Amino acid sequence: MTVSLGRRVTAEAVGTAALVAVVVGSGIQAAELTRDTGVQLLANSLATVFGLGVLIVLFGPVSGAHFNPVVSLAAWAVGRRGPDGLPLRDVAAYSVAQTFGAIIGAVLANVMFGRPWVTWSTHDRFAGHLWLGEVVATAGLILLIFGLLRSGRDHLAPFAVASFIGAAYWFTSSTSFANPAVTIGRAFSDTFAGIAPGSVVPFAAAQLVGTAAGLALVAVVFGRAAAAVALPHDELGPAVPAER
């Protein structure tokens, strides 16, 4: 039984909202509990790892648990020659839902902690080394997701993707946003996890570059054979998850 586009889009919106609520909310909580930025980052990254893993398990059978426009775009790119690829219409619908969900998630986190609904972030992240970090993080994410699909190990995705994101919090200079929708959402909260609106576009551009690099690596390492399905065909179908 094919899952309808409406249900898949709803899953993407709700899942992305929950993911950003976890990222922003845990950032607020950490900043309120300690002034040690290392401890704040540790708390933020651990909450994101656990939250992302759960969300992929929950929503994967419905929408593929992308939660990320570049993952949806990559799913179209690798499956466009086959009958099971994600159509561009669905990529557009997913991307709108993911972005809307990310904004709602940031607003929800703000309100839960007694803050104004929207407080534009003043956390400037406008620097070349941070953009490089986003290229690396996004390329690694795409390589991981579609490498698992190509090798028939997509059942490991909830744990592998969450683990990669947790590690990338620490080994990339940008703390691994790797997601244009989440980047936009985090601009709506002037908190530890926020990003200034003026830093959003360069981050998103770096993420697109990273997506292209990741797809190139998938082709080189795993070959150009058609990937596994990019969207579920039944309630127990495989997932194509993504990062925060």
Side-chain angles (χ1 to χ4, degrees):
M1 179 178 67
T2 301
V3 181
S4 69
L5 179 60
R7 287 176 58 195
R8 287 187 279 124
V9 166
T10 300
E12 286 296 302
V14 174
T16 311
L19 175 60
V20 174
V22 168
V23 173
V24 174
S26 63
I28 296 173
Q29 184 78 285
E32 291 184 350
L33 293 175
T34 178
R35 294 186 179 180
D36 188 317
T37 55
V39 175
Q40 290 173 358
L41 186 61
L42 178 62
N44 194 211
S45 61
L46 285 176
T48 301
V49 167
F50 294 136
L52 179 58
V54 168
L55 291 170
I56 293 172
V57 170
L58 177 62
F59 291 106
V62 181
S63 67
H66 296 191
F67 312 145
N68 189 335
V70 298
V71 172
S72 300
L73 182 63
W76 165 80
V78 299
R80 66 188 185 278
R81 295 186 179 90
D84 296 322
L86 191 69
L88 275 177
R89 178 199 66 166
D90 291 14
V91 173
Y94 272 37
S95 298
V96 171
Q98 291 154 355
T99 303
F100 177 76
I103 295 171
I104 294 301
V107 171
L108 177 61
N110 287 338
V111 175
M112 281 196 297
F113 285 90
R115 297 171 179 245
W117 286 37
V118 175
T119 53
W120 297 110
S121 177
T122 56
H123 192 163
D124 181 55
R125 301 178 189 262
F126 197 94
H129 68 281
L130 300 180
W131 305 335
L132 177 60
E134 281 301 284
V135 172
V136 171
T138 309
L141 178 66
I142 297 299
L143 175 61
L144 172 61
I145 292 170
F146 293 94
L148 289 175
L149 282 168
R150 290 264 173 102
S151 59
R153 295 175 295 166
D154 49 290
H155 61 284
L156 299 175
F159 316 103
V161 172
S163 297
F164 173 80
I165 291 303
Y169 256 96
W170 291 90
F171 78 77
T172 64
S173 57
S174 63
T175 68
S176 182
F177 284 51
N179 185 328
V182 169
T183 303
I184 292 171
R186 288 168 68 166
F188 283 72
S189 183
D190 189 19
T191 59
F192 174 79
I195 178 172
S199 300
V200 168
V201 172
F203 259 54
Q207 290 155 4
L208 289 173
V209 173
T211 301
L215 288 173
L217 287 171
V218 171
V220 170
V221 176
F222 294 95
R224 296 183 177 276
V229 295
L231 58 106
H233 281 253
D234 57 59
E235 294 302 324
L236 298 177
V240 184
E243 154 6 323
R244 65 179 183 96

